[in-house]
């Protein structure tokens, strides 16, 4: 999820555990515990784990971890989030996360006040529940409960850190700064083409889901009064097994497919082989090889 303003909601945060520019060493026992709870990190080769650990220690010394909502900050929370967040930059380097400092961790999903103006100049204010958010020029917000769900294609940490990569050249739009060897045209054509294809898959799945509800005898109670006739992304599964939230925008598609790239690479490679090819060039990693070596 993407945000743009740093508001009062973060206002009162709890203690900082790692300060900026301080040398940090992750204890061996804690590092091994972290790997054991995150199978997609445990699958890394020994040299990759060593590089990841170095990046993890570097980011712990550079970023400021704080908490909100009554959560008590711990070494385990910080190391888990740092390790997951550093996986996308394993071969890119910490400079890929330049320009921002704060990481705010909530115990669970949190509420973000929104204020938008429609085409007619009418201002709408509402609250949105989120599990994570990256703010352009500001902090990254993470639900610790959701961060612990990592490992099966849903990874809020990788998702939000992918937004931060995307924001390195302006507002998140699904087109991060590209390395030599990937043309802007190739990236846009491939990503936007895959996104449009994915939107059609989500629309078809939603229509099938609503049709099945309409045919069932309990259809009226299955859909809430507030969302009558509309299905939530969590209500139905896609044939591809990918997260329907990626249909929200090209920026969300990039973040959601980055989650899949690192956690369920076989699903992404099968559904969008050309996009997978570009991601291997962009991230300079090929997670499929880790899956095969694990098998």
């Amino acid at each position: 999820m993407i945000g743009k303003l740093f508001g009062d909601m973060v206002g009162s945060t709890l203690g900082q555990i790692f300060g900026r520019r301080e040398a940090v060493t992750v204890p061996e026992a804690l590092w091994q515990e972290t790997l054991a709870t995150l199978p997609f990190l445990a699958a890394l080769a020994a040299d990759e784990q060593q590089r990841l650990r170095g990046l993890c220690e570097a980011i712990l010394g550079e970023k400021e971890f704080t908490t909100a909502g009554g959560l008590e900050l711990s070494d385990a929370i910080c190391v888990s989030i740092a390790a997951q967040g550093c996986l996308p930059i394993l071969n890119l380097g910490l400079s890929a996360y330049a320009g921002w400092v704060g990481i705010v961790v909530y115990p669970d999903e949190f509420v973000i006040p929104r204020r938008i103006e429609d085409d007619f100049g009418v201002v709408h204010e509402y609250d949105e529940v989120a599990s994570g958010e990256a703010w352009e020029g500001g902090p990254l917000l993470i639900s610790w409960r959701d961060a612990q769900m990592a490992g099966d294609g849903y990874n809020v940490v990788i998702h939000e850190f992918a937004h931060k990569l995307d924001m390195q050249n302006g507002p998140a739009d699904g087109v991060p700064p590209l390395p030599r060897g990937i043309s802007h045209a190739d990236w846009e054509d491939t990503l936007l083409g895959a996104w449009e294809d994915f939107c059609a898959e989500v629309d078809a799945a939603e229509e099938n889901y609503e049709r099945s509800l309409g045919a069932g005898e309990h259809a009226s109670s299955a859909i809430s009064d507030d969302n009558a006739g509309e299905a939530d992304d969590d209500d139905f599964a896609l044939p591809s097994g990918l997260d329907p939230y990626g249909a929200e925008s090209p920026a969300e598609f990039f973040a959601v497919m980055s989650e899949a790239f690192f956690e369920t690479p076989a699903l992404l490679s099968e559904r969008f082989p050309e996009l997978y090819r570009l991601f291997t060039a962009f991230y300079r990693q090929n997670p499929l090889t880790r899956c095969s070596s694990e098998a």
Side-chain angles (χ1 to χ4, degrees):
M1 184 172 289
I2 305 161
K4 298 181 182 297
L5 299 175
F6 184 71
D8 294 335
M9 57 174 263
V10 179
S12 63
T13 55
L14 300 180
Q16 178 179 319
I17 189 166
F18 291 115
R20 295 174 62 192
R21 303 182 188 87
E22 294 179 2
V24 172
T25 300
V26 176
E28 178 66 19
L30 177 56
W31 181 247
Q32 293 303 325
E33 288 169 14
T34 302
L35 294 181
T37 60
L38 300 168
F40 55 96
L41 298 186
L44 296 173
D47 64 317
E48 292 178 317
Q49 289 184 6
Q50 189 63 29
R51 289 204 310 278
L52 183 70
R53 185 172 182 171
L55 284 168
C56 180
E57 293 175 338
I59 202 172
L60 289 171
E62 178 177 299
K63 306 301 183 187
E64 295 178 356
F65 284 73
T66 55
T67 60
L71 178 66
E72 183 177 349
L73 200 58
S74 69
D75 291 6
I77 290 174
C78 293
V79 172
S80 176
I81 291 174
Q84 293 178 69
C86 285
L87 180 59
I89 61 163
L90 181 64
N91 295 323
L92 304 180
L94 193 55
S95 60
Y97 290 151
W100 60 279
V101 173
I103 298 174
V104 184
V105 189
Y106 286 79
D108 206 330
E109 292 181 324
F110 46 89
V111 175
I112 300 174
R114 302 290 193 196
R115 188 175 186 275
I116 60 172
E117 184 176 332
D118 64 24
D119 295 338
F120 301 99
V122 179
V123 174
H124 303 269
E125 296 183 353
Y126 61 97
D127 290 337
E128 183 174 0
V129 177
S131 59
E133 179 149 299
W135 290 355
E136 187 184 355
L140 186 150
L141 315 180
I142 294 289
S143 155
W144 175 233
R145 177 177 176 273
D146 286 80
Q148 295 176 87
M149 297 178 186
D152 194 26
Y154 171 65
N155 191 305
V156 67
V157 177
I158 289 177
H159 184 107
E160 301 308 332
F161 273 89
H163 280 319
K164 282 297 190 181
L165 289 175
D166 195 358
M167 292 171 177
Q168 286 296 311
N169 58 355
D173 58 1
V175 186
L178 301 173
R180 290 182 181 180
I182 303 180
S183 72
H184 192 277
D186 188 18
W187 182 275
E188 276 204 333
D189 289 348
T190 302
L191 185 127
L192 292 180
W195 175 62
E196 290 171 359
D197 189 0
F198 188 68
C199 289
E201 179 185 352
V202 171
D203 287 343
E206 185 173 358
E207 288 174 10
N208 289 338
Y209 173 76
E210 291 177 352
R211 193 177 301 117
S212 70
L213 283 183
E217 61 182 24
H218 299 298
S220 60
S221 61
I223 302 177
S224 70
D225 292 336
D226 291 337
N227 278 327
E230 296 181 5
D232 187 88
D233 286 349
D234 294 333
D235 291 334
F236 58 90
L238 298 180
S240 63
L242 299 169
D243 186 351
Y245 187 63
E248 290 292 314
S249 68
E252 296 299 349
F253 184 68
F254 169 66
V256 166
M257 295 307 128
S258 293
E259 295 177 65
F261 179 73
F262 289 107
E263 288 205 350
T264 55
L267 292 181
L268 180 61
S269 176
E270 181 178 354
R271 181 66 178 84
F272 297 114
E274 283 305 301
L275 185 64
Y276 186 88
R277 173 188 63 81
L278 276 185
F279 275 22
T280 60
F282 174 73
Y283 285 114
R284 302 175 197 171
Q285 301 182 54
N286 187 356
L288 267 178
T289 60
R290 296 167 190 153
C291 297
S292 6
S293 65
E294 231 187 351

